[in-house]
Amino acid sequence: MDNINEHIITRHLKEVVIVPEHVERTESAEFRKSKKRLKEDGHYRCWVCGLQENLHVHHVGLEWSLANIGDFEKLKEFLEMFDVYGYGRLLINQPITSVDDIRNMMVLCQEHHTGVNHENGGSGTGIHEITFPIWLIQKLAKDGVHAVPQAGETLKEAEKTVKEHGSD
């Protein structure tokens, strides 16, 4: 089988989403309770990189603004498969009635939540900026390898890390 040389993929994604009318977002009591539990259980660090500052809590399966059209049974099933912190298994017999349920929460640093890094040829690092499989390689890559240029890193620097480690 022939090798394909290391290369850069550039996509221009056009995303069209119809977001239903909803009330202005406020932090619910359940959201505060979920965030408190994440802290108590030792999960209050970025799920991708482990950073412990500038943290956000992301709705991982069903976005808050789309809650009115979400099917909570489907959400529960999804979160039992994509069980970030183990709460899906722990609470398997309890229904999900809100997007602020702890099973739908993921702690992310600002860079891996809403990070945009268009400087130096970057595309962004946040889950709201790039496709899921490309966002996920930021967690699953070997240490020191950046297939997605990180904040302050040039495209050439990231390319070098992939080239050095890609043929291991």
Side-chain angles (χ1 to χ4, degrees):
M1 181 180 228
D2 293 332
N3 283 344
I4 297 173
N5 291 335
E6 167 248 319
H7 57 284
I8 298 170
I9 297 172
T10 303
R11 292 187 182 105
H12 299 281
L13 178 67
K14 179 179 180 179
E15 186 173 74
V16 177
V17 180
I18 301 165
V19 178
E21 184 177 339
H22 56 82
V23 297
E24 188 173 333
R25 181 152 182 6
T26 59
E27 202 172 87
S28 73
E30 185 170 9
F31 185 85
R32 285 189 298 278
K33 181 181 168 188
S34 293
K35 193 162 61 167
K36 182 177 185 269
R37 179 147 185 207
L38 287 164
K39 289 177 183 178
E40 289 170 350
D41 291 350
H43 300 302
Y44 217 67
R45 61 185 176 278
C46 180
W47 185 78
V48 175
C49 69
L51 196 69
Q52 294 183 338
E53 55 257 354
N54 206 10
L55 299 174
H56 301 192
V57 178
H58 173 67
H59 293 89
V60 67
L62 181 57
E63 286 289 336
W64 186 88
S65 64
L66 300 171
N68 290 342
I69 61 170
D71 182 319
F72 289 110
E73 281 297 315
K74 289 179 183 177
L75 175 62
K76 183 179 180 295
E77 186 177 311
F78 169 75
L79 294 170
E80 287 166 4
M81 290 182 287
F82 190 70
D83 194 3
V84 178
Y85 301 115
Y87 297 116
R89 287 181 298 282
L90 184 66
L91 304 171
I92 197 162
N93 294 321
Q94 294 181 22
I96 292 179
T97 58
S98 162
V99 293
D100 291 339
D101 186 289
I102 195 165
R103 291 168 279 187
N104 194 40
M105 300 288 119
M106 177 187 281
V107 179
L108 299 170
C109 68
Q110 189 277 323
E111 289 297 321
H112 291 115
H113 187 224
T114 57
V116 178
N117 181 24
H118 296 296
E119 318 157 357
N120 303 319
S123 61
T125 53
I127 195 168
H128 288 280
E129 297 301 318
I130 53 181
T131 60
F132 187 70
I134 302 308
W135 174 79
L136 198 54
I137 193 60
Q138 295 174 108
K139 177 163 180 78
L140 302 179
K142 297 172 184 172
D143 289 344
V145 179
H146 300 142
V148 177
Q150 300 298 293
E153 181 179 46
T154 66
L155 184 57
K156 290 263 187 234
E157 290 167 336
E159 196 174 2
K160 183 179 177 201
T161 70
V162 170
K163 189 172 283 200
E164 290 172 355
H165 296 278
S167 60
D168 289 353

